[in-house]
Amino acid sequence: MAKLYIFTKKGRSEYNLVDHNVIGRHPKNRIKILEAGISKVHCLIASEENQTFSIRDLGSRNGTYINGTRLKGKMFLKDGDEIKMGHTLCLFREQMEARRVKWRDDDKDAIRETILHKVAPQQMNKFFPETNIIDEEMLRADYERLRISFELQRDIGFDLHVDFILGRVLDRAFEVLAFDQGVVLLLDPQGAFAIHAYKTKTLGDELIISRTLADLVADDGQGVVLMNPNPSAGREAPEFIETPVQTTLAVPILDEHDLQGVIILDRWAAYHPYREKDLNLLSNVANKTALFMRNSQIAKSVTRESLERERFRKILSPEMAEMVVAGQLKVDLEGKQHAATLLMVNMIDFNAQTGALDPEGLIEFLNQYYDHLVGVVFRHEGMIDQYLGDRILVVWGVPQPHEDDPLRAVTAAVEMQQMMEAINQQRQNDNLPLLEIGIGVATGTVVAGSLGSQKTRRYSIVGELVNDVQAICASARSEQVLISEKTFQMVQKLFDIDEAHTLQLRDRAVKCFEIIGEQEGRPAQPWSYLG
């Protein structure tokens, strides 16, 4: 992961960089630096393609300097770039190189021999009632656990990026459990440990991680204090010893009983070894970390569902959109062929109807016009594929097929023309020009999938059928509903239909038929709507 190191009079702080990192004095910024020479919203470091990062100034008063040169526009950051804002110096470091990490495979029995204390993290989720507190040390321990929890919550706020959260966890742990090296390992989908956050006392130190210790803590589900054997220290590890030793805290990150990862803190040459109270404190931090991670996952899931619901509600009826979000209706984003019926509506003489409108009036007019049409589409469970200026393209059969999709499409077209008659009656009363639409309907096959660039994709359809329905719609006169021959074959017993004309496209002829009206005695619509 890329990191930003910040050097102030108080010392060094570091942040794991995520996709969008606003820096400044404002408390809502992801990275907050309280210095008078820094603006409330000073600059932005953002992720780009190929795991690179860029930086740009956000109109700060004193500017942003990269390696001594004032930043103008956007600039891509390189490993080791120095960033200066006000009197604060920052250092950008790219993704940690493999040579700076040494994974060590130790003897498991030898590690067990160095264990001084154990604790189950679940024990740290409990606070004693006031009547059960028997001495000041218990009270101080509870206070410290609450203080760290409060500080972490204030640091993290509502941030949803797990790596950012883990970086703040190590920063707070360093304040109370000063270490030479700290790492947070999370399980990847294959069940192996991966580094998601790290902090070293000396910048640029190599990370030395015992894979065996991580596995042992994960398997046992307990936190441990380790101290290398030292004759002068004894088994109980007093607060101070004459000969420095390596001492380690390692605790599992457990969400209920599900292992998420492990936190390991090391002191390489300590005169003050870690003790049981330190293990209890780090176990409490691990419990809070698991809670933050779970909240992040829940919030991301809710946000993703909300965005997905909003996206599909723009093209599907609310009921069908809910089915997609719930997983009851599958949308094949990778591309799949579908039998489909398309409908296209075109406003006749659009420029004459709207030429006198200002831009705001034009958009308001079109949105009102679309609202009327979309209501009909959703009532018959069609999907809005595209808005094309004064035209609208609708599809039946994607993503939810029905046996009577052609009937639904033609019925919707007839209702649109009937609805336009009612709208024009009102416009005539208001001395407004009448609206005229022509509609084309065609049945065949399309390919549906996620189309566009990686940054701006949308679910849509392609195929010759799209060209056919465009041509049919373009040839439809005011108040006409024209259908293709295949659509005619599937609805001819339900509507009065006349043969219209044949369109000559570049490579084929398309025969058109005109819907005159519904046949008398036609049964009620045979489908029942969702919901």
Side-chain angles (χ1 to χ4, degrees), residues 200-213:
T200 56
K201 186 176 182 179
T202 304
L203 191 63
D205 275 359
E206 180 184 49
L207 290 178
I208 303 173
I209 305 170
S210 172
R211 200 189 318 267
T212 311
L213 174 59

Side-chain angles (χ1 to χ4, degrees), residues 75-295:
M75 175 180 173
F76 284 89
L77 289 169
K78 304 185 300 296
D79 184 50
D81 277 345
E82 291 186 353
I83 305 168
K84 190 173 183 182
M85 295 168 281
H87 297 291
T88 299
L89 183 65
C90 307
L91 178 67
F92 172 76
R93 298 307 303 263
E94 285 183 333
Q95 191 166 1
M96 183 173 51
E97 298 177 13
R99 62 180 174 82
R100 292 186 54 216
V101 182
K102 180 180 179 181
W103 290 91
R104 201 174 62 202
D105 292 309
D106 300 316
D107 181 84
K108 186 174 289 189
D109 291 334
I111 289 180
R112 291 188 186 278
E113 285 295 317
T114 65
I115 294 176
L116 298 180
H117 303 287
K118 292 184 178 182
V119 67
Q122 294 89 338
Q123 297 174 5
M124 295 299 101
N125 281 331
K126 299 176 182 178
F127 286 88
F128 291 105
E130 179 267 337
T131 54
N132 290 12
I133 296 178
I134 58 177
D135 56 33
E136 184 180 328
E137 185 175 355
M138 288 179 64
L139 186 61
R140 287 180 177 276
D142 279 353
Y143 169 80
E144 190 66 359
R145 288 161 59 194
L146 286 170
R147 185 185 72 83
I148 293 297
S149 298
F150 170 77
E151 296 286 354
L152 278 174
Q153 184 64 68
R154 187 176 64 179
D155 286 348
I156 293 166
F158 297 101
D159 204 294
L160 302 181
H161 292 81
V162 170
D163 286 353
F164 180 86
I165 291 171
L166 299 180
R168 306 313 296 154
V169 166
L170 283 183
D171 283 344
R172 286 298 173 187
F174 183 79
E175 291 180 11
V176 293
L177 299 167
F179 49 79
D180 294 305
Q181 169 189 289
V183 294
V184 181
L185 309 175
L186 298 185
L187 290 174
D188 64 20
Q190 288 71 43
F193 284 114
I195 300 171
H196 277 255
Y198 67 95
K199 185 179 181 72
T200 56
K201 186 176 182 179
T202 304
L203 191 63
D205 275 359
E206 180 184 49
L207 290 178
I208 303 173
I209 305 170
S210 172
R211 200 189 318 267
T212 311
L213 174 59
D215 290 338
L216 185 148
V217 170
D219 292 342
D220 292 352
Q222 292 184 315
V224 295
V225 179
L226 306 182
M227 189 177 75
N228 283 343
N230 187 303
S232 65
R235 291 294 298 168
E236 290 304 314
E239 291 188 24
F240 178 80
I241 56 179
E242 296 179 356
T243 305
V245 296
Q246 178 184 343
T247 180
T248 301
L249 292 174
V251 297
I253 303 172
L254 294 170
D255 183 6
E256 300 295 339
H257 298 288
D258 294 330
L259 179 71
Q260 305 293 315
V262 174
I263 303 176
I264 303 176
L265 310 182
D266 290 293
R267 291 176 181 167
W268 300 126
Y271 289 96
H272 296 272
Y274 288 126
R275 295 183 295 157
E276 185 175 14
K277 69 171 188 177
D278 299 319
L279 177 61
N280 293 340
L281 186 59
L282 186 61
S283 295
N284 179 64
V285 170
N287 289 338
K288 297 304 177 188
T289 302
L291 181 61
F292 289 137
M293 290 173 62
R294 184 201 306 166
N295 290 343

